[in-house]
Amino acid sequence: MLDQDEQDYFKRADEMLELNQFNNDEERTLFLSNIYREADGKELKLANSQSCSRLMERLILLSTPEQLKTLFGKFSGHFMNLVQHRFASHCCEALFIHSAPIVTLELTAPLEQQTEEPNKDGMYVSMENLFLYTLNELEGSIGFLMTDQFASHTLRILLLVLSGHAFPKTTVTTLLKSKRKENIGIAGVEENVAGSGIEKRAVPESFHLALGKIISDIASGLDTTNIRVLATHPIGNPVLQLLLELDLSRPSTPGFKGGSTILRTLIPDDPPLEGTESSLFVNGLMYDAIGSRLLESIVKYAPGKTFKVIYKTQFKERMGSLARNETAGFVVARVLERLSKNDLAVAAAMILPQVDSLVQRSRTTVIKTLINRCAIRGLDTSSLAEALKAAYGTNEVDRIHRLLNLDSGKSDAITDSSRSEIKSMEKRSSNLHGSLLAQAMLAVPGPLSELILESLLALSAPTLLQLAEDTPSCHVLQLSLTCPNSDKQFRRKVVQRFFGYIGRLAIDTCGSHLVDAFWPATKGLAFLRERIAEELLQNETSLRDTLVGRAVWRNWMMDLYKRRKVDWIIRAKAEDNTEVTMRKQPLKVSSSTSGKTAIELAREKFAASKTKKAKATGPNDISPHQSDLSNRRKGSTQGPQ
């Protein structure tokens, strides 16, 4: 344990790092070196300390590859205890995440790394070997760690590092991290981890072999009964789910009969026909709140042969009734994503009678997925549009109110605070699901998008303003103004109803995004675009006083509009013409212009044309306008004679 003086010192250091009020990077680097010097030999105490473990996480965020390797060496031999500790496990997670990009870096340039990064003993130790040493330390205890409250999260991070998969933000916040995990950060420093995007990371072959060994050890060490217990275990299920996804998505997996060891252990019957034990197990997962998540992974990643049998025995005849179930509906949505065109048409016919019941229960996930898949497969959506119209009502105003769950009036006072909070959470969830459904309908040409567009046109200006200042509803408005299914007449009518409120929306967190969407929405409607710019100019002071207002001012190029309105109009037309050209003919971007936006390319084109005109006239040539201006000046200087 740290003594009181050490705790006070490291607490002050943590506060200084969190505020990040250093004059420059060199000063912060020197401060970090001093902290490492004071923490030498005390790394384990810091990681296990409730008050100082946050400092260790912030140190990892700013550490160099050499410092991360040093921490690996300090933790080596103690990882088994650290990953199971309430506070030290978070330090291990941060260490694994920020060390993963170094493995890829060393893999692409191993020779340079060997000559530049020797350790204190003069020997080069790669990050790959440090990870493998950690695996050797945890070997034999993976099955136990899968159900540990704290180690399970660290184990999931380690599995992703070995697989080379990216760390998507959605995955990091749901599948990998606990909902109660504190977000440790540094002011002014954005946590940008390489490999946190969509693309996979390059990892050495030893990592693939290690991951395969872990999967085979779990499948051979656990029989069917034990591994099915993990399927419904609240802590073990996420780890098993990730292992199954990694197993089935491995390139070396030849199929269900090949290397899919975990799936074969879960479902030993090949194929899982109706009446078998495997069929009963799948049916039980469907209605379990925890096990259904594993079934979603099985449906998504299972080989085609296995999926077809599961669909035929468990889903095909029950798609309508399963879609109504609160838990099984999410599995049905996954099933719809893998159906062929003919099977999707059959499933849609069974789900259509349940649309009204789904709408009443605010379970729109299945409907949204069905709309997306019908659009992708090219199925007719007119019958689905009629079912939604009957469910939400034929009146346009009431339809959009019910879809987006808008308040028709002030809610009654609720004395119980907890009850009020629960109702507020339910309303936000309903708003979000309704907004996602409306956006899915807008993306499909035909009667589905017409239902939303007609409803928006029927709304009054105050109601549209309410939509614009609500986050989920504002996304619907933005998409309706920018999607290809809305015509110029619709955009003109909707934009005009916001006149007089542009300044108010520009300084609103949600409304500012709608004002930005007005720019592409007013393409071909120059008079509307200038009217919006005039309102923004009238509210210049309030816009410059807020962060979102300054962003709107910059996106609308209001400085140019204020000083040179003619140039602003020319630039706006140039951008519109560039967008038309890009739609008609794919833009071939060279290596010198790669990564540039359409606006930047339009600005370069305008500058080039201006330069070309200047060269054509010549430096000594005088245009008629300049000649006339020169004569006026001469006349004014000579005076009357």
Side-chain angles (χ1 to χ4, degrees), residues 562-578:
K562 181 179 179 181
R563 294 167 183 154
R564 301 189 303 275
K565 182 177 179 180
V566 176
D567 292 345
W568 182 87
I569 295 175
I570 295 174
R571 181 170 295 185
K573 291 181 178 179
E575 291 182 8
D576 291 346
N577 295 334
T578 304

Side-chain angles (χ1 to χ4, degrees), residues 61-79:
L61 286 176
L62 301 172
S63 293
T64 62
E66 295 86 350
Q67 291 169 337
L68 291 176
K69 290 182 179 181
T70 302
L71 278 180
F72 252 108
K74 298 292 184 179
F75 287 175
S76 182
H78 305 278
F79 275 110

Side-chain angles (χ1 to χ4, degrees), residues 596-613:
K596 295 183 180 180
T597 62
I599 296 178
E600 293 173 343
L601 294 173
R603 290 172 180 171
E604 290 180 0
K605 182 179 178 181
F606 176 76
S609 62
K610 197 172 183 180
T611 305
K612 186 176 180 180
K613 290 180 181 179

Side-chain angles (χ1 to χ4, degrees), residues 60 63-73 79 94-107 113-114 117 124-135 158 161-162 201 204 206-207:
I60 293 173
S63 293
T64 62
E66 295 86 350
Q67 291 169 337
L68 291 176
K69 290 182 179 181
T70 302
L71 278 180
F72 252 108
F79 275 110
L95 181 62
F96 293 159
I97 291 176
H98 291 84
S99 299
I102 304 176
V103 177
T104 305
L105 179 63
E106 293 178 347
L107 189 64
Q113 296 296 331
Q114 288 182 14
E117 297 182 4
Y124 172 76
V125 180
S126 65
M127 189 63 75
E128 173 189 353
N129 290 332
L130 292 174
F131 271 108
L132 294 178
Y133 295 155
T134 304
L135 283 177
L158 187 57
V161 172
L162 294 176
R201 291 175 289 104
S206 59
F207 278 19

Side-chain angles (χ1 to χ4, degrees), residues 266-519:
L266 277 170
I267 308 176
D269 298 308
D270 185 17
L273 299 176
E274 186 177 0
T276 60
E277 187 178 354
S278 298
S279 178
L280 297 176
F281 169 70
V282 171
N283 186 69
L285 290 180
M286 202 179 306
Y287 299 100
D288 188 86
I290 299 174
S292 61
R293 298 180 181 271
L294 180 65
L295 185 56
E296 289 184 48
S297 299
I298 294 175
V299 168
K300 183 177 181 180
Y301 295 100
K305 177 184 176 182
T306 306
F307 169 75
K308 289 179 181 178
V309 175
I310 293 177
Y311 170 69
K312 182 178 180 180
T313 58
Q314 301 293 333
F315 294 95
K316 187 173 183 179
E317 304 297 333
R318 301 190 296 162
M319 290 294 285
S321 59
L322 291 176
R324 293 199 312 268
N325 188 270
E326 182 179 5
T327 304
F330 294 99
V331 186
V332 170
R334 289 292 186 186
V335 171
L336 291 174
E337 294 175 355
R338 292 200 62 174
L339 293 181
S340 62
K341 184 176 181 179
N342 295 333
D343 290 336
L344 184 63
V346 175
M350 299 181 67
I351 295 176
L352 283 180
Q354 312 299 331
V355 168
D356 185 64
S357 176
L358 293 174
V359 168
Q360 291 179 0
R361 302 178 185 182
S362 299
R363 297 172 186 168
T364 58
T365 304
V366 175
I367 303 176
K368 178 178 69 69
T369 306
L370 183 60
I371 291 174
N372 294 334
R373 298 310 300 176
C374 287
I376 293 173
R377 296 297 188 186
L379 293 178
D380 183 27
T381 57
S382 57
S383 57
L384 183 57
E386 290 296 329
L388 288 172
K389 185 176 182 179
Y392 283 107
T394 55
N395 184 276
E396 290 86 355
V397 177
D398 295 340
R399 182 192 307 153
I400 199 69
H401 271 263
R402 188 176 178 186
L403 178 61
L404 299 179
N405 196 22
L406 300 178
D407 289 331
S408 57
K410 295 184 179 180
S411 58
D412 298 332
I414 301 177
T415 57
D416 190 358
S417 59
S418 61
R419 182 183 171 192
S420 176
E421 183 178 356
I422 293 174
K423 285 196 172 186
S424 178
M425 293 177 61
E426 292 178 351
K427 181 182 181 298
R428 287 196 298 268
S429 177
S430 179
N431 287 356
L432 176 61
H433 288 290
S435 172
L436 294 176
L437 177 59
Q439 293 176 58
M441 295 170 66
L442 282 171
V444 181
L448 282 174
S449 57
E450 291 175 1
L451 287 178
I452 304 299
L453 298 177
E454 292 173 357
S455 299
L456 291 177
L457 279 179
L459 295 178
S460 60
T463 306
L464 286 173
L465 187 64
Q466 181 185 356
L467 293 179
E469 294 177 342
D470 180 68
T471 302
S473 304
C474 185
H475 289 291
V476 178
L477 275 176
Q478 294 177 51
L479 184 59
S480 67
L481 293 172
T482 56
C483 70
N485 297 322
S486 60
D487 55 11
K488 186 181 296 186
Q489 183 180 6
F490 169 83
R491 290 184 276 116
R492 176 177 57 82
K493 291 182 179 180
V494 172
V495 172
Q496 284 179 336
R497 296 180 188 180
F498 287 99
F499 287 163
Y501 304 103
I502 301 298
R504 171 180 170 179
L505 290 175
I507 59 177
D508 184 76
T509 306
C510 304
S512 59
H513 296 288
L514 182 62
V515 178
D516 290 337
F518 285 162
W519 180 271

Side-chain angles (χ1 to χ4, degrees), residues 50-69:
Q50 178 179 3
S51 57
C52 299
S53 61
R54 298 181 182 88
L55 172 63
M56 179 61 70
E57 292 190 58
R58 291 192 175 94
L59 284 176
I60 293 173
L61 286 176
L62 301 172
S63 293
T64 62
E66 295 86 350
Q67 291 169 337
L68 291 176
K69 290 182 179 181

